[in-house]
C-alpha cells in the first residue's frame, strides 16, 4: 500500500533571533514541515528567496525593522499568489489585525500561542481554512456589533456557545466534534440552531461578526 505524504514548505520571518530559532527548531522536528528560509526582516527574506524555492506558507511577525510584516504580506502574495501567510505577533489591537487580514493574511495568532497550536493553525490554513487564536478571534467578532445572550430572542445554550466559539476560531465541523466529543450530526444540529438564533446564513458571517 502506498501513502501520499505531504511536505508543507514554509518560510519564517521574525526579528527576535531567540524566538526565530525556537520556531525553526520546532519545525525541524516536524516530519510534515520543511522550513526552507528564515530571516529577521522582510528585506532579508526576499533576498534569500531564490527562484528555485517554492513556499506553501510563510509565518511572519508584524513588528519588523524596515518593511513591516503587513507590507511583507503584500510583497509575498504579489510574488507568489498561492502562498498563504499567517501572522505571528505580540500586537493584538484591532487595527493591526484588520490591516494584516486586508493585506491577504489568512491567519493571525499571538506569540503566546503554544507551538503545537501554531502547527495546527498552519495545517488548517494549508487545508483551505483560516485561523485566529481565541483571543484574536474574540477581538475581531467583538468589533462588529457584538451580540450578548441577553439581547437574543432565543439565547444560546452553553453548548451552542462552545460551538460558536469554535466556529470563530475557524474550526471545521469535524474538528469541533472531536474537540467536544460529539457526533458530526449533533454538531450540524447545533450549527443550524446557531445560524437561526444569530440570523446568519453561513460561517463567514459569524467569523466577521455580522450578526445582530
Amino acid at each position: 500500500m502506498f501513502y501520499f505524504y505531504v511536505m508543507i514548505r514554509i518560510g519564517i520571518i521574525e526579528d527576535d533571533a531567540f524566538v526565530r530559532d525556537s520556531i525553526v527548531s520546532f519545525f525541524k522536528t516536524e516530519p510534515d514541515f520543511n522550513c526552507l528560509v528564515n530571516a529577521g526582516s522582510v528585506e532579508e527574506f526576499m533576498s534569500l528567496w531564490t527562484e528555485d524555492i517554492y513556499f506553501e506558507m510563510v509565518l511572519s511577525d508584524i513588528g519588523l525593522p524596515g518593511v513591516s510584516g503587513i507590507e511583507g504580506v503584500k510583497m509575498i502574495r504579489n510574488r507568489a499568489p498561492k502562498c498563504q501567510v499567517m501572522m505571528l505577533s505580540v500586537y493584538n489591537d484591532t487595527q493591526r489585525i484588520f490591516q494584516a487580514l486586508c493585506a491577504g493574511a489568512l491567519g493571525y495568532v499571538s506569540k503566546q500561542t503554544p507551538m503545537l497550536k501554531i502547527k495546527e493553525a498552519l495545517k488548517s490554513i494549508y487545508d483551505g481554512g483560516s485561523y485566529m487564536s481565541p483571543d484574536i478571534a474574540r477581538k475581531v467578532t467583538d468589533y462588529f456589533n457584538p451580540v450578548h445572550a441577553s439581547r437574543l430572542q432565543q439565547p444560546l445554550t452553553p453548548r451552542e456557545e462552545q460551538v460558536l466559539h469554535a466556529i470563530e476560531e475557524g474550526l471545521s465541523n469535524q474538528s469541533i466534534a472531536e474537540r467536544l466529543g460529539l457526533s458530526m450530526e449533533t454538531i450540524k444540529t447545533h450549527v443550524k440552531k446557531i445560524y437561526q438564533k444569530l440570523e446568519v446564513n453561513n460561517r463567514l458571517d459569524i467569523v466577521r461578526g455580522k450578526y445582530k
Side-chain angles (χ1 to χ4, degrees), residues 10 12 17-31 33 35 38 115:
I10 64 171
I12 308 293
F18 177 78
V19 174
R20 184 173 68 253
D21 289 344
S22 296
I23 296 172
V24 172
S25 295
F26 173 82
F27 282 108
K28 279 185 176 179
T29 66
E30 297 299 316
F33 283 86
C35 185
N38 70 89
M115 286 306 305

Side-chain angles (χ1 to χ4, degrees), residues 140-182:
V140 172
T141 54
D142 285 351
Y143 180 83
F144 292 103
N145 189 24
V147 65
H148 300 286
S150 60
R151 293 170 53 190
L152 292 174
Q153 291 183 355
Q154 300 181 63
L156 299 180
T157 66
R159 181 66 82 184
E160 288 167 354
E161 287 279 1
Q162 289 180 313
V163 175
L164 174 62
H165 292 160
I167 292 174
E168 290 172 344
E169 292 178 39
L171 298 186
S172 65
N173 283 353
Q174 182 64 48
S175 296
I176 297 172
E178 292 172 0
R179 172 186 285 188
L180 301 181
L182 300 173

Side-chain angles (χ1 to χ4, degrees), residues 2-201:
F2 293 95
Y3 294 93
F4 182 69
Y5 188 75
V6 176
M7 175 71 74
I8 303 175
R9 292 162 291 194
I10 64 171
I12 308 293
I13 310 176
E14 167 60 60
D15 64 316
D16 186 313
F18 177 78
V19 174
R20 184 173 68 253
D21 289 344
S22 296
I23 296 172
V24 172
S25 295
F26 173 82
F27 282 108
K28 279 185 176 179
T29 66
E30 297 299 316
D32 43 359
F33 283 86
N34 185 9
C35 185
L36 301 177
V37 173
N38 70 89
S41 69
V42 172
E43 294 92 329
E44 181 187 9
F45 183 82
M46 298 302 289
S47 69
L48 295 173
W49 187 354
T50 56
E51 292 296 327
D52 61 322
I53 295 177
Y54 175 81
F55 295 109
E56 270 93 21
M57 309 193 70
V58 172
L59 179 61
S60 175
D61 190 10
I62 282 186
L64 296 166
V67 175
S68 73
I70 293 171
E71 287 300 316
V73 175
K74 298 176 184 178
M75 294 170 65
I76 292 167
R77 299 282 287 170
N78 283 337
R79 176 163 175 176
K82 293 184 179 180
C83 180
Q84 309 299 340
V85 183
M86 185 171 78
M87 311 309 295
L88 176 69
S89 182
V90 294
Y91 299 111
N92 61 359
D93 61 279
T94 307
Q95 183 177 5
R96 286 180 187 266
I97 296 169
F98 288 159
Q99 286 176 341
L101 298 177
C102 289
L106 284 180
Y108 197 116
V109 297
S110 67
K111 287 191 178 181
Q112 288 72 39
T113 305
M115 286 306 305
L116 285 175
K117 282 291 185 182
I118 292 175
K119 173 188 170 182
E120 290 177 14
L122 289 172
K123 281 196 167 184
S124 176
I125 294 173
Y126 178 79
D127 290 336
S130 59
Y131 187 90
M132 293 184 208
S133 52
D135 55 332
I136 300 297
R138 178 55 60 187
K139 275 190 168 290
V140 172
T141 54
D142 285 351
Y143 180 83
F144 292 103
N145 189 24
V147 65
H148 300 286
S150 60
R151 293 170 53 190
L152 292 174
Q153 291 183 355
Q154 300 181 63
L156 299 180
T157 66
R159 181 66 82 184
E160 288 167 354
E161 287 279 1
Q162 289 180 313
V163 175
L164 174 62
H165 292 160
I167 292 174
E168 290 172 344
E169 292 178 39
L171 298 186
S172 65
N173 283 353
Q174 182 64 48
S175 296
I176 297 172
E178 292 172 0
R179 172 186 285 188
L180 301 181
L182 300 173
S183 69
M184 278 286 287
E185 288 304 313
T186 299
I187 295 300
K188 289 179 180 178
T189 298
H190 284 312
V191 170
K192 183 178 180 180
K193 289 181 179 179
I194 289 170
Y195 284 3
Q196 292 172 345
K197 291 181 179 182
L198 299 185
E199 300 181 23
V200 298
N201 298 312

